[in-house]
Amino acid sequence: AKGLSSEIGTYHLYSNIDAMVSGILSVFKVVTGKTPKFKVYGGSYAENQALQNIQARLRMVFAYLLAQLLPWVRGKQGWLLVLGSANVDEGLR
């Protein structure tokens, strides 16, 4: 993605979403008293799917936040186009 963005003259940002995932799981634990696990760590199918969805949805929400605020951060007006991808990498766990 970084190489492609360079070739077409756009910006590329890398961000690790682990802190966001940890935050939402902490809130979930406070509300329910439970901590979901990936299937490879003994979790159920439902837990596994939910954890994959959390990662994909948080990434999407963060991408929209960046698209709305990065022009402001850079001292410009307007907004950016969000291009997304599937959450295939989470499904490989």
Side-chain angles (χ1 to χ4, degrees):
K2 185 176 183 179
L4 176 61
S5 70
S6 177
E7 288 181 29
I8 62 174
T10 62
Y11 294 100
H12 176 268
L13 298 174
Y14 171 81
S15 64
N16 187 320
I17 65 167
D18 290 349
M20 290 183 271
V21 173
S22 294
I24 198 77
L25 290 176
S26 292
V27 172
F28 182 84
K29 185 175 183 177
V30 167
V31 171
T32 67
K34 301 237 181 207
T35 303
K37 297 182 281 191
F38 283 103
K39 194 169 185 178
V40 297
Y41 299 116
S44 68
Y45 176 80
E47 290 171 88
N48 198 61
Q49 291 299 108
L51 290 170
Q52 291 178 43
N53 281 328
I54 287 169
Q55 293 174 5
R57 302 311 161 244
L58 286 174
R59 187 178 294 112
M60 178 191 67
V61 169
F62 191 55
Y64 280 99
L65 176 66
L66 288 171
Q68 289 179 317
L69 293 180
L70 277 177
W72 168 73
V73 167
R74 295 177 177 143
K76 299 180 180 183
Q77 293 186 351
W79 41 267
L80 302 174
L81 175 66
V82 175
L83 302 174
S85 63
N87 66 339
V88 174
D89 58 327
E90 289 89 3
L92 298 175
R93 291 185 183 208

